[in-house]
Amino acid sequence: MTTSTSIRINQTLYEQARNEAVAEHRTIAGQVEYWAKIGRAALDNPDLPVSFIAESLASMAEPRETTTPFVPRSRQQ
């Protein structure tokens, strides 16, 4: 289990996180963590679109056994 730390955030940001958390089936803390991960990855990779970063992080979180392996077209016959 991970430890947690309390922080103070702007009330508007809290409300936005709460609304998104409900829509995305996350906790409010989980929503803020999700935004932080995407933001950090976006800052580290400014040449990539944020939507690509979000989709990449989502795909990396999927269990391996439920994914479809990539097969290049040159190998398909």
Side-chain angles (χ1 to χ4, degrees):
M1 182 174 207
T2 61
T3 60
S4 63
T5 303
S6 296
I7 61 169
R8 292 182 186 263
I9 62 171
N10 178 290
Q11 186 66 32
T12 302
L13 180 60
Y14 178 85
E15 297 296 330
Q16 291 170 341
R18 185 179 65 185
N19 292 337
E20 286 291 320
V22 170
E24 297 293 330
H25 306 285
R26 294 185 182 105
T27 63
I28 297 170
Q31 185 63 41
V32 173
E33 288 173 5
Y34 174 73
W35 283 343
K37 286 178 187 175
I38 291 175
R40 185 169 188 168
L43 288 171
D44 289 344
N45 300 281
D47 54 323
L48 297 177
V50 174
S51 59
F52 178 82
I53 292 169
E55 291 170 9
S56 296
L57 290 174
S59 68
M60 289 170 45
E62 290 181 11
R64 289 270 188 206
E65 55 273 359
T66 62
T67 60
T68 304
F70 174 77
V71 178
R73 288 185 184 176
S74 61
R75 291 190 185 171
Q76 294 177 348
Q77 294 189 14

